[in-house]
Amino acid sequence: MRQRQISPAFVLMMSVSVALLLAHVGAAGQSPATPSNTLSFQDRFEIHELFARYSQALDMGNGDELVKNVFAPNGIFHDPSLCLIGSEELRKGLANHSSRVRTSQHWPNNIVITEGSGNRAKTHSYVIVFGAKGTMTFGTYHDTLVKIGGKWLIEHRQVWRPGPVTRDPRCPTDLDKLEP
């Protein structure tokens, strides 16, 4: 008997569907909101959209999209290989990142809003980076988000992934100590 293989796209689609369903159940009042997590279903949906905007802009090398519709002014991106602070560094550093749609794709998943109230939120999520030959790497995003002008943006993204960590005093978090 032939075994079916489940595609990564199907797994991602199901993960997002379950997350949205669970967020909807919570928003409908069937699960109590905690004082540290009172975001509406609309806010939760928009935060998931933010993750998609980030991945597509990064993979396409679109620095303008990253600074206009993904990162907050003076946003911070910190991963094991670099520390970028502010719109100019983000535009140059991420638009010229070695990942591009022709070589890789970032697939965030299991996005959990760990805190959220008003115009601020914190999230923890997984990311898988796929290339032409399969999985290139994996990791986690630890984000602080802010809603400015009605739009959710990344204020500070810390990335954990396997590999050596380059230290930069401008981004003092020890990424080795982040929870994967």
Side-chain angles (χ1 to χ4, degrees), residues 47 50-51 54 71 76-78 108 111-115 120-125 140-146 153-159 178:
I47 287 169
L50 170 63
F51 280 75
Y54 168 82
F71 281 92
I76 299 170
F77 175 87
H78 184 201
I111 301 164
V112 175
I113 300 168
T114 57
E115 294 178 33
R120 302 197 60 80
K122 289 191 176 198
T123 63
H124 179 264
S125 60
T140 56
Y141 294 149
H142 303 260
D143 296 322
T144 301
L145 310 177
V146 62
L153 301 167
I154 299 169
E155 185 174 63
H156 190 176
R157 170 160 281 178
Q158 298 175 101
V159 181
L178 280 181

Side-chain angles (χ1 to χ4, degrees), residues 21 32 84 94 99 106 115 121 127 151-152 171:
L21 176 64
L84 303 171
L94 294 178
S99 5
H106 292 72
E115 294 178 33
V127 62
K151 185 186 314 179
W152 284 100
C171 287

Side-chain angles (χ1 to χ4, degrees), residues 65-88:
E65 176 71 9
L66 286 164
V67 299
K68 289 180 184 173
N69 293 309
V70 175
F71 281 92
N74 297 313
I76 299 170
F77 175 87
H78 184 201
D79 87 349
S81 63
L82 71 161
C83 171
L84 303 171
I85 300 174
S87 296
E88 266 320 295

Side-chain angles (χ1 to χ4, degrees), residues 94-106:
L94 294 178
N96 295 316
H97 198 271
S98 60
S99 5
R100 290 285 164 45
V101 76
R102 293 194 170 115
T103 59
S104 67
Q105 293 181 357
H106 292 72

